[in-house]
Amino acid sequence: MAQVIERRKKLPDPSQKEKGVSLWSLIKDNVGKDLTRVCLPVYFNEPISSLKNSFEDLEYSYLLDRAYQHGKQGNILERILNVAAFTVSGYASSEGRHCKPFNPLLGETYEADYPEKGVGFFSEKVSHHPTLIACHSEGKGWNSNLKQIGKLVAKLFPKIQDMVEEDNTLVFVLIDEVESLAAVRKAALSGSEPSDLIRVVNALLTQMDKLKSSPNVIILTTSNITAAIGT
């Protein structure tokens, strides 16, 4: 017999009434400070962490399921429409919510499993300053673990370029588990992988090409799945 999972549809009412917020008392004590490092009162937070908050983007994951099916059928227009609808669906959960989620501990993880939807999700906080959360999700025919990685790749290499410009410095760049970035393009172009996968591969190769003319840089990569690396 299949297990019936009953899930709550809303958070419980707060046990205490929310306190009034004095913005001036916060501003006057933190003028000139780095706002990313300012500690806010606990009542500024809603009772979930950023790890759980990331999963809310998949509330309407059935739109991706539809997009995948339309892609298999060759209906590109319907596929684009469903992906576009999913892209803006995340704003549906932000209405009336004025508090921010709690900042998780470095290395803290969160896992969600919704077999009735065919969705699995895992997230981990991988950097504290700045706060970065790595996510992996799987659905019915699709998966995604590359959210915003393309932008991070583009931001990382300029720092490497600055180091390379010093002629008396030998720079080693190590890319661990490179197959997670440089995946086979054929799989991405076939529609079985999200389009952001293509953007990540392009960003990585573009930035590496810029280092070709530098004699003092050596790029090393590691991989246990060499067959998954594109060329």
Side-chain angles (χ1 to χ4, degrees):
M1 180 180 295
Q3 182 181 3
V4 178
I5 302 176
E6 294 185 4
R7 305 184 188 275
R8 65 184 183 184
K9 297 182 179 179
K10 65 176 184 177
L11 294 172
D13 295 329
S15 58
Q16 296 182 357
K17 186 178 180 180
E18 294 183 4
K19 299 179 180 179
V21 178
S22 174
L23 293 178
W24 171 244
S25 64
L26 293 174
I27 294 174
K28 67 182 180 64
D29 295 331
N30 296 292
V31 173
K33 294 183 180 179
D34 181 359
L35 295 181
T36 62
R37 298 176 181 269
V38 172
C39 294
L40 297 176
V42 69
Y43 52 82
F44 270 47
N45 298 80
E46 58 183 1
I48 61 173
S49 75
S50 297
L51 299 174
K52 296 179 181 179
N53 184 263
S54 300
F55 180 59
E56 291 183 356
D57 289 342
L58 294 175
E59 176 69 24
Y60 300 95
S61 61
Y62 67 85
L63 293 170
L64 293 180
D65 299 340
R66 292 179 182 175
Y68 172 72
Q69 293 300 326
H70 287 306
K72 288 179 61 178
Q73 297 167 6
N75 192 337
I76 304 302
L77 178 59
E78 285 294 331
R79 181 186 181 188
I80 293 175
L81 290 175
N82 278 274
V83 171
F86 173 78
T87 302
V88 300
S89 67
Y91 292 105
S93 62
S94 62
E95 182 180 1
R97 295 169 65 176
H98 309 294
C99 298
K100 72 180 191 69
F102 279 96
N103 191 12
L105 299 174
L106 182 62
E108 184 178 342
T109 62
Y110 170 75
E111 182 176 7
D113 184 26
Y114 279 71
E116 66 273 23
K117 288 186 174 183
V119 175
F121 175 84
F122 187 87
S123 59
E124 177 183 357
K125 182 177 179 180
V126 296
S127 173
H128 191 58
H129 287 295
T131 298
L132 294 177
I133 296 176
C135 305
H136 176 80
S137 56
E138 296 181 353
K140 297 178 181 178
W142 55 268
N143 67 76
S144 178
N145 58 359
L146 300 168
K147 186 176 182 181
Q148 296 184 339
I149 293 183
K151 295 180 180 179
L152 296 178
V153 169
K155 289 181 179 180
L156 173 63
F157 274 82
K159 297 180 181 179
I160 298 175
Q161 189 68 46
D162 291 340
M163 299 170 62
V164 170
E165 290 177 357
E166 300 182 12
D167 296 333
N168 60 345
T169 301
L170 181 59
V171 180
F172 290 87
V173 180
L174 176 62
I175 304 177
D176 191 22
E177 296 182 358
V178 70
E179 73 276 358
S180 63
L181 288 177
V184 179
R185 287 188 174 189
K186 183 178 180 181
L189 294 173
S190 68
S192 60
E193 296 288 352
S195 59
D196 55 358
L197 177 60
I198 304 175
R199 289 195 292 269
V200 171
V201 175
N202 289 340
L204 177 63
L205 296 179
T206 298
Q207 297 300 327
M208 291 177 65
D209 285 341
K210 293 179 180 179
L211 299 176
K212 277 185 176 181
S213 59
S214 302
N216 59 330
V217 59
I218 299 176
I219 299 178
L220 306 173
T221 63
T222 67
S223 175
N224 293 323
I225 316 175
T226 55
I229 301 176
T231 56

